[in-house]
Amino acid sequence: MDQKDQIAFLNSAVKAARKAGDIAQINFDRVSSSDVRTKGHNEFVTHVDEQAEKAIIEILQSRYPDHSILGEEHGLQDNDSEFLWIIDPIDGTTNYIHGFPVYCVSIALKIKDRLEVGVIYDPSRQELFTAIRGMGSQLDGRKIRVSKHTQLPGCLLGTGFPYRDQKDWLELYLDIFTDFTKIVGAIRRPGSAALDLAYVASGRYDGFWEFGLKPWDVAAGVLLIQEAGGIVQNIIPDTDPVESGSLFCGNPKIFEGMKEIVSQYDKRLKAFA
């Protein structure tokens, strides 16, 4: 695949993300309780999620009818293709429902099981994060890099509390959280994992960790970080971070510091593999 093809895929993802973001922003703060349905424990969906995902799928299918698509709301549309689009129309739905303006659209493209394109769009701030494998990461067309902070003391980490499988994850998560809290400068939990990963890529966070996410939460952000000079690794030994959804990441120095702490829990973490 040449650079021209990569750019064409990125442009398609950007168009789809902006369309979905427009739908979300137009309806922002207009969602009533009757519009909200529960998919699972602490997992919610609105008609806006579904409308935004439909818009993304329509754009991608109009250009690439043979590609497969994995969407949070519509599941897997498997066309037995080596091209797989991974989409989250609104990452941060709980925030969105409450009128808390921290959410985003996330779209990634895997080709032959390798991430090639990633787009994260924040409609509230109209910030567009993009990445193409081998071509770096950008924010609104400007190249971005991970932070230059070198030590855990004084650094800023992002995280997300376990919300899908709290019974399994919460105790272990809190132990790791406590260890980080004793060392780092501060920890933030805004509630949109995809946006958190974009913030690591752009140097706003020095690092991030979370358990139990889904591929559509992390795929685009993983590529953004890698192309911005950062490191992403599965937090559960011997698993893939995108597939397991349990990962930690940061600039190279902060990543190594985080790894020292996380690796102390490897025996407990392997139980989740």
Side-chain angles (χ1 to χ4, degrees):
M1 184 177 59
D2 60 25
Q3 190 176 101
K4 184 178 179 181
D5 291 330
Q6 289 178 306
I7 293 172
F9 288 136
L10 178 68
N11 288 339
S12 296
V14 167
K15 181 178 180 180
R18 288 193 183 277
K19 179 64 176 178
D22 288 345
I23 291 170
Q25 197 62 19
I26 288 170
N27 290 281
F28 183 71
D29 217 14
R30 297 181 181 179
V31 177
S32 66
S33 58
S34 61
D35 294 323
V36 180
R37 301 196 319 275
T38 301
K39 297 190 296 182
H41 179 64
N42 286 337
E43 289 192 89
F44 308 99
V45 63
T46 73
H47 68 90
V48 184
D49 296 79
E50 294 172 341
Q51 185 181 351
E53 183 163 298
K54 183 179 178 182
I56 294 171
I57 292 172
E58 286 177 351
I59 290 172
L60 296 179
Q61 286 185 333
S62 70
R63 299 185 178 194
Y64 315 109
D66 297 329
H67 288 192
S68 298
I69 297 175
L70 174 62
E72 178 175 12
E73 310 308 336
H74 292 81
L76 176 63
Q77 299 180 32
D78 189 356
N79 289 329
D80 194 26
S81 170
E82 63 185 19
F83 297 87
L84 175 65
W85 293 93
I86 305 171
I87 60 179
D88 191 342
I90 299 179
D91 184 74
T93 298
T94 299
N95 288 348
Y96 187 83
I97 291 168
H98 289 272
F100 187 71
V102 180
Y103 68 95
C104 68
V105 182
S106 178
I107 301 176
L109 174 62
K110 263 188 173 183
I111 304 176
K112 297 180 180 178
D113 292 324
R114 189 171 80 162
L115 292 169
E116 295 288 347
V117 169
V119 171
I120 294 175
Y121 179 55
D122 178 351
S124 297
R125 297 167 183 78
Q126 295 187 358
E127 289 187 328
L128 180 70
F129 300 85
T130 61
I132 296 177
R133 179 170 294 279
M135 296 176 61
S137 296
Q138 296 186 341
L139 167 56
D140 294 333
R142 303 185 311 274
K143 187 175 181 178
I144 54 175
R145 299 291 293 176
V146 292
S147 77
K148 297 180 179 179
H149 206 98
T150 60
Q151 297 180 333
L152 287 182
C155 80
L156 178 62
L157 300 184
T159 190
F161 304 135
Y163 65 96
R164 288 189 175 100
D165 301 312
Q166 288 182 335
K167 181 180 178 181
D168 295 329
W169 286 114
L170 191 56
E171 182 178 351
L172 177 56
Y173 172 84
L174 290 174
D175 287 343
I176 295 174
F177 181 92
T178 299
D179 286 349
F180 280 136
T181 301
K182 293 175 179 178
I183 300 173
V184 305
I187 297 174
R188 300 286 181 261
R189 196 277 186 186
S192 170
L195 206 51
D196 288 330
L197 296 174
Y199 283 6
V200 173
S202 58
R204 295 175 179 175
Y205 286 148
D206 299 300
F208 173 84
W209 89 100
E210 187 166 351
F211 294 112
L213 296 166
K214 297 295 185 181
W216 48 78
D217 298 319
V218 302
V222 166
L223 184 62
L224 276 163
I225 292 170
Q226 291 172 339
E227 287 296 317
I231 302 175
V232 184
Q233 185 171 305
N234 45 289
I235 203 167
I236 303 173
D238 304 319
T239 60
D240 177 84
V242 174
E243 295 304 320
S244 74
S246 298
L247 52 80
F248 66 106
C249 56
N251 75 46
K253 293 291 186 182
I254 296 301
F255 173 84
E256 289 303 321
M258 295 178 72
K259 188 174 183 177
E260 287 185 14
I261 292 175
V262 170
S263 62
Q264 297 174 24
Y265 296 90
D266 277 356
K267 287 185 179 179
R268 291 169 64 184
L269 286 163
K270 284 182 178 179
F272 296 94

